[in-house]
Amino acid sequence: MTAETMTPAAPTMRHRHRGQVLSRVLICVVGAVFLFPFVWMVATSLKPTNEVFASGTSFFGSRIEWSNYSVAWTAIPFGRILINSFLVAFAGALLTVSVSVLSAYAFSRFRFRGRAALFGAFLATMVLPQEVLIIPLYLMMQRAGLVNSYPALILPFAFGAFGTFLIRQFLLSLPPDYEEAATIDGASRLRTLVSVIVPLLRAPISVVFVFAFIEYWGSFLWPLIVVNDASMATVPIGLQMFSGERGTDWGPLMAAVTLVVLPSLLIVVLLQKQLPQGVSMGGFGGR
Amino acid sequence: MPYLGPGMLGFAIFIVVPLVVSLVISVFDWPLFGAPEFVGLRNYQYMLDGDPAFWVSLRNTLIFAVLYTAVNLAVALGLSYWLMNLGGRWAAFFRVLFFIPVVTPMIGNALIFRLMLNDDGIVNQALAVIGIEGPQWLNVPGWAMFSLIMMSLWQGMGYNIIVLGAGIAGINPSVLEASRIDGAGPVSRFFRVVFPMLTPTIFFCTIMTVIGAFKVFAQPYALTEGGPGNATNTLVLHLYRNGFSFDRLGYASALAWVLFVLVMLITAVQFSQQKRWVTYDS
């Protein structure tokens, strides 16, 4: 007791250090448990079908069954589905960003009657579940002859308030000096927006783009309704078709899931720096 | 105005009009093909005392929302505080790791869990090793709901871990240091300092998580198909089935409006309650 009070620093440091090591070991265990479903997905994707539920809890099958992947690839038009998903997500994200930049510019730099009220109503829809709107949206697409089309997959979800809100926040903190200088130099408003403001907004724009892309990429309910042809399917619809047709064929099904999860993993790894920033700025509303 | 035009036009066409139109459709008997027929409030009447699955799906949705939100926030809060104490690269790495299921398509995630929770799946095999006979996770009502919540937590928690982590990172380090010098341990530091300063972030997370929970659809659709029976049927799944399997778009719109009013009411109540526990600086 007295010895400890005489030299308090050394034992406390060692104690703290040991706690830190224990903490790191524990978080690794938690992380491993958390990642296990993906590990099991890959392991199953490489097993012969009759060994998927074989007892003995073996990680690997008796042989590595690569053919699960070729079966998965040919059972549904996988290449086409990946291209569809990519096109829809890319075009959707691009549209979302373009519209958001224009609206954010208007809401932050123009004065007009009812601006506050309009912006308030617009913002309020951030808490509106899109699921409420799907029946009229479907009827609208049906009347317009757009069922099974890219516009139907893209248009309805490019006009949410999140992008406008986020970009507007940045614009408000941006001094108008640059724009004024450009205007004095004789640039038009649009020219000023495109060549002066947009480059300054690179960070929020890329956040809005990435999050819109991921939203479109994983979206399920709307494509399920508006797509009824395999040639227009997106990735989640492809998986769902797959499990319907081959509900018990787990090897190829997990191969398909692996093929779908990998691009998302790639996105996370590539963007690991920006993701936390994007999320904390309020991206991914409501997931 | 050319700048505001595109955004507000899209807002009107794809959000405002559908919202109003869905109320109109809800007073019609509206098949996918064929002529709609005006039925007044009969869809709502049927919902309240004709449709046995409505109350079940409403109850399931409420149970899911309450349990999912509570556990999600408690665990995410604990984990993000833990990560803050780990600090540096460790925290950054694990934050991203917990975020992975958020960006992978939910249908894929649900299918992986269906594989693992199969009667002969890896979970029951592992339980058998330690002498426990696991339940039929997806075929017994209580366990099916339990599985649904667990899967959803795994899928969605990373979002709150990152948002709360950013909130914790925003706390002035000198305040934490002061409490450390005053002799507060990690636990009391959490409840006395971190939690109170984090309440605005927690409030934001609660709002978004509750709304997300009320929209639950893909998980029961792919994991349990709403079953066994209606044990994991939810409002949005019920809405989808009525609209697109049973060809009752009018009734589905009535369900949509109930969902809308419910979510708005709960959000409004949360906002009205916030001054009782949320503390803002300055």
Side-chain angles (χ1 to χ4, degrees):
Chain A
M1 183 68 193
T2 41
E4 269 179 353
T5 40
M6 293 290 276
T7 53
T12 322
M13 286 285 279
R14 202 180 305 151
H15 180 76
R16 202 178 274 173
H17 181 69
R18 203 186 302 157
Q20 189 77 319
V21 171
L22 186 69
S23 184
R24 285 180 180 180
V25 173
L26 268 178
I27 195 76
C28 286
V29 174
V30 173
V33 171
F34 194 83
L35 271 193
F36 182 79
F38 288 127
V39 176
W40 197 243
M41 159 192 84
V42 176
T44 304
S45 77
L46 294 171
K47 275 181 194 170
T49 296
N50 61 347
E51 292 176 28
V52 167
F53 293 117
S55 58
T57 327
S58 72
F59 248 86
F60 302 102
S62 55
R63 64 198 148 85
I64 289 186
E65 191 63 65
W66 289 109
S67 69
N68 285 336
Y69 281 84
S70 51
V71 172
W73 190 267
T74 48
I76 55 173
F78 221 108
R80 171 78 198 231
I81 285 172
L82 279 176
I83 292 172
N84 285 344
S85 255
F86 183 81
L87 273 179
V88 167
F90 188 83
L94 207 60
L95 183 62
T96 305
V97 164
S98 316
V99 172
S100 301
V101 168
L102 290 173
S103 303
Y105 184 59
F107 274 124
S108 63
R109 293 293 197 258
F110 292 85
R111 303 198 151 273
F112 52 91
R113 286 183 78 193
R115 184 176 77 166
L118 184 62
F119 189 63
F122 185 45
L123 264 198
T125 58
M126 271 171 83
V127 295
L128 165 72
Q130 290 166 336
E131 286 71 6
V132 175
L133 311 176
I134 55 169
I135 305 275
L137 283 175
Y138 178 79
L139 291 172
M140 197 190 281
M141 293 303 160
Q142 195 198 36
R143 302 275 141 108
L146 288 173
V147 171
N148 265 325
S149 73
Y150 290 127
L153 284 165
I154 294 166
L155 285 176
F157 303 108
F159 299 95
F162 163 66
T164 304
F165 170 71
L166 185 73
I167 294 171
R168 179 177 165 272
Q169 291 296 101
F170 273 77
L171 267 170
L172 289 179
S173 65
L174 201 72
D177 306 5
Y178 298 105
E179 301 155 57
E180 278 162 17
T183 314
I184 289 165
D185 288 348
S188 69
R189 275 213 114 114
L190 186 64
R191 179 68 203 262
T192 312
L193 177 64
V194 171
S195 29
V196 178
I197 299 180
V198 166
L200 291 170
L201 291 176
R202 201 179 296 156
I205 283 177
S206 54
V207 166
V208 172
F209 185 90
V210 167
F211 283 83
F213 188 95
I214 296 172
E215 281 281 329
Y216 275 104
W217 180 261
S219 164
F220 179 63
L221 178 58
W222 177 246
L224 185 65
I225 290 166
V226 88
V227 163
N228 43 41
D229 190 293
S231 70
M232 282 308 294
T234 54
V235 152
I237 304 305
L239 284 184
Q240 182 262 331
M241 283 168 17
F242 201 89
S243 74
E245 283 164 25
R246 313 181 149 258
T248 48
D249 213 351
W250 283 103
L253 178 55
M254 282 302 117
V257 178
T258 306
L259 290 173
V260 160
V261 163
L262 281 180
S264 308
L265 260 179
L266 199 69
I267 294 178
V268 182
V269 172
L270 285 176
L271 297 167
Q272 48 172 318
K273 289 247 157 55
Q274 288 88 337
L275 276 179
Q277 190 198 7
V279 179
S280 59
M281 285 194 289
F284 258 95
R287 270 196 77 142
Chain B
M1 188 160 56
Y3 298 95
L4 204 54
M8 290 303 107
L9 195 65
F11 173 58
I13 294 177
F14 295 110
I15 297 176
V16 179
V17 169
L19 187 60
V20 176
V21 168
S22 91
L23 186 61
V24 174
I25 298 173
S26 78
V27 292
F28 279 85
D29 198 350
W30 200 305
L32 265 178
F33 299 96
E37 183 198 338
F38 180 77
V39 294
L41 292 177
R42 229 180 296 157
N43 282 327
Y44 291 94
Q45 237 163 25
Y46 173 70
M47 186 190 305
L48 298 180
D49 58 27
D51 178 7
F54 168 70
W55 291 106
V56 180
S57 66
L58 178 65
R59 199 195 62 183
N60 289 340
T61 308
L62 289 170
I63 291 174
F64 177 88
V66 169
L67 291 178
Y68 173 76
T69 306
V71 179
N72 185 333
L73 280 164
V75 178
L77 204 51
L79 275 170
S80 53
Y81 183 59
W82 186 1
L83 291 177
M84 180 211 81
N85 283 318
L86 278 170
R89 278 196 210 147
W90 283 74
F93 175 81
F94 279 100
R95 248 174 235 142
V96 171
L97 185 137
F98 289 126
F99 195 69
I100 292 173
V102 179
V103 286
T104 48
M106 209 181 291
I107 286 300
N109 295 344
L111 290 170
I112 299 170
F113 268 69
R114 213 162 91 191
L115 167 77
M116 297 200 308
L117 295 172
N118 191 291
D119 294 351
D120 305 317
I122 179 69
V123 173
N124 279 349
Q125 283 182 33
L127 287 174
V129 171
I130 53 171
I132 297 173
E133 194 191 335
Q136 291 186 307
W137 296 99
L138 305 177
N139 294 314
V140 177
W143 285 118
M145 179 55 86
F146 177 82
S147 305
L148 185 71
I149 294 172
M150 291 303 289
M151 188 260 140
S152 303
L153 285 168
W154 176 80
Q155 147 91 37
M157 221 166 51
Y159 172 69
N160 282 341
I161 291 176
I162 288 191
V163 178
L164 292 167
I168 292 177
I171 296 175
N172 189 340
S174 62
V175 177
L176 290 169
E177 195 48 41
S179 74
R180 194 173 286 138
I181 291 166
D182 289 348
V187 175
S188 74
R189 195 157 60 236
F190 177 79
F191 285 108
R192 300 263 170 82
V193 183
V194 175
F195 187 87
M197 298 193 81
L198 208 55
T199 47
T201 315
I202 298 172
F203 176 66
F204 170 81
C205 286
T206 312
I207 298 273
M208 291 324 251
T209 309
V210 169
I211 295 171
F214 270 92
K215 307 192 317 188
V216 58
F217 168 74
Q219 301 97 308
Y221 182 94
L223 190 66
T224 57
E225 287 158 15
N230 274 318
T232 51
N233 199 355
T234 62
L235 273 181
V236 178
L237 182 57
H238 195 47
L239 186 169
Y240 168 79
R241 284 178 172 167
N242 272 287
F244 299 95
S245 306
F246 312 149
D247 198 19
R248 291 196 291 234
L249 293 180
Y251 184 57
S253 292
L255 288 168
W257 257 76
V258 168
L259 175 71
F260 171 61
V261 171
L262 205 60
V263 170
M264 289 303 128
L265 265 178
I266 289 171
T267 308
V269 168
Q270 284 183 278
F271 268 98
S272 74
Q273 293 294 308
Q274 69 167 321
K275 61 176 173 296
R276 290 181 52 183
W277 64 282
V278 180
T279 46
Y280 293 96
D281 283 352
S282 68

